Each structure stands twice: as C-alpha cells, then as structure tokens.
Amino acid sequence: MPDDMKLLIIEDCEGMGIRCLSDVFKNFINLSHLSKLEITDSVGIEFLWQLSSASPRDQLEVSSFSPLCGLEELRLTRLPNLVGLFYGESEPSYLLPAGTFSSLRELSISGCDNMKQLFTVQLLQSLQNLENLDVFHCGGMEEIAADG
C-alpha cells in the first residue's frame, strides 16, 4: 500500500475472520496520512482497536496508532457485531495513546445495534476537533459518553 494513502474503505468483509481492525492495520507499514476511514457491512468486526494493559511508559507507541491520530472522518455503517471503538477502554489500566482521534472532525455511526456506549470520558477528551457526530439506527445504544 502507498505510504500517502488518504482514504481507506473496508466493505463487505464477511467471513474474513476480522474481529478487530488493529489486527489488520499492524501489517501496514505506515497509514499516518489516512484522513478518511469507512467500514461498511463487515459482520465480524467487534472493535476498531485493541489496547494494551500496561503502565504509561510501556504503552503502545503513538506510531502504532498513527491511523487514528490523523484521521479526520470515520464512518461505521452496518456493523452488527460492533461492541465498541476500543477493546479494553473501560478498564482503568488501559490508556489511550496521546493524540488518538485528535484530528477527528466527523464521526458517523449507523446500523451498529450491539454498541451500547460510544465514548468513555477519556476518549471524549481527545475529540477537541469533532464538528459532526451522527448516530442513527443503533438500537442498542444506551449512552453517548460514560464514565469508565
């Protein structure tokens, strides 16, 4: 893949065994220029990224989260098994790397019926540039932001 890719669309990836996108992204050398990510009709995806439980000095390097630091637009559509954005984010020992979603301007989530909570307070603090938030047709959504 080119190092300067700006748009990535993942669509209709049923049967590929992808539960977490970080498992896919770790194979890419550099997605730091990625500004738009669309994921549609991918039944198996449960989380976007898996966090590591560690002390801050042992945390994943920010470079491994580079696709999420420069991302300006994220669209998640018809992901029936999506439970959350990050696996492990509700655990106190799991810390998001600095800059995660710090460039995000638009977030659209639709047809993600298993998702009960969109953001933790920790993640919400990183969204200083968020301009548009669209959440619709997510029957299981109980709250947008929650402690934890």
Side-chain angles (χ1 to χ4, degrees), residues 3-147:
D3 282 349
D4 61 349
M5 183 170 51
K6 296 186 183 314
L7 168 65
L8 177 60
I9 298 174
I10 300 172
E11 187 172 5
D12 200 17
C13 290
E14 191 171 345
M16 291 185 63
I18 301 171
R19 290 185 58 224
C20 188
L21 278 187
S22 59
D23 295 339
V24 175
F25 282 172
K26 69 183 175 187
N27 297 320
F28 298 132
I29 295 170
N30 184 1
L31 289 176
S32 61
H33 291 36
L34 191 65
S35 62
K36 184 174 181 179
L37 175 61
E38 295 182 14
I39 307 166
T40 304
D41 295 320
S42 297
V43 172
I45 294 178
E46 297 175 15
F47 297 95
L48 289 188
W49 223 264
Q50 183 168 353
L51 302 177
S52 292
S53 175
S55 63
R57 70 177 184 281
D58 296 323
Q59 272 296 303
L60 290 170
E61 295 178 22
V62 173
S63 62
S64 68
F65 276 71
S66 63
L68 303 184
C69 293
L71 199 62
E72 296 177 13
E73 192 173 335
L74 176 61
R75 298 193 183 283
L76 306 172
T77 307
R78 291 182 304 278
L79 305 175
N81 291 322
L82 187 71
V83 177
L85 298 177
F86 296 96
Y87 177 78
E89 71 180 321
S90 61
E91 300 296 323
S93 61
Y94 289 74
L95 298 174
L96 288 171
T100 303
F101 285 151
S102 60
S103 299
L104 196 65
R105 292 183 303 105
E106 295 183 30
L107 175 61
S108 175
I109 299 179
S110 64
C112 299
D113 290 334
N114 269 338
M115 195 171 207
K116 293 183 179 355
Q117 167 195 325
L118 185 54
F119 304 122
T120 60
V121 172
Q122 180 189 5
L123 180 57
L124 196 58
Q125 293 169 350
S126 297
L127 298 172
Q128 64 266 20
N129 291 312
L130 190 66
E131 297 171 5
N132 292 326
L133 173 63
D134 294 319
V135 179
F136 51 99
H137 302 295
C138 296
M141 188 72 69
E142 295 174 1
E143 52 194 346
I144 298 298
D147 293 329

